[in-house]
Amino acid sequence: MITPAAIQVYQEFNGDPGGFARSGTRAQRDVLPEGEWGLLLDIIQDLHLVQQGLASASYADRLEQRLRVHCSGPEVISALTGLAKANAHP
């Protein structure tokens, strides 16, 4: 589940999975496990595609479903949307 704390960890590493892998603390890894880091990246990239008009309506619908399943609430969805708009993904 992507939480506000997970997004905070993501931002602390500027979205750099290598930096997180090299220097993430145990506490940070507890908040954002490695598998969820990949999910977070995928969702940000998918949001960016939708925002740029590069995805079909059905793709956007599936993304909305994924957001509801994997995000702890609307504040997390809003934060991810902002990250995608800022082009804050590798």
Side-chain angles (χ1 to χ4, degrees):
M1 178 72 53
I2 301 172
T3 64
I7 291 175
Q8 181 179 346
V9 171
Y10 175 86
Q11 290 176 310
E12 288 172 12
F13 288 91
N14 295 316
D16 177 19
F20 179 69
R22 285 187 304 277
S23 18
T25 66
R26 180 155 182 97
Q28 289 168 321
R29 290 176 198 282
D30 288 343
V31 169
L32 183 57
E34 195 169 323
E36 284 195 19
W37 185 280
L39 173 64
L40 201 150
L41 283 175
D42 288 346
I43 287 175
I44 291 171
Q45 290 171 350
D46 288 349
L47 282 165
H48 183 73
L49 289 174
V50 169
Q51 290 169 356
Q52 296 300 307
L54 301 172
S56 67
S58 63
Y59 189 93
D61 289 342
R62 287 191 305 275
L63 175 58
E64 287 296 321
Q65 292 172 352
R66 285 178 65 209
L67 289 169
R68 285 192 298 273
V69 168
H70 295 290
C71 296
S72 65
E75 71 281 358
V76 170
I77 294 171
S78 178
L80 291 172
T81 300
L83 287 170
K85 282 182 183 172
N87 230 358
H89 61 283

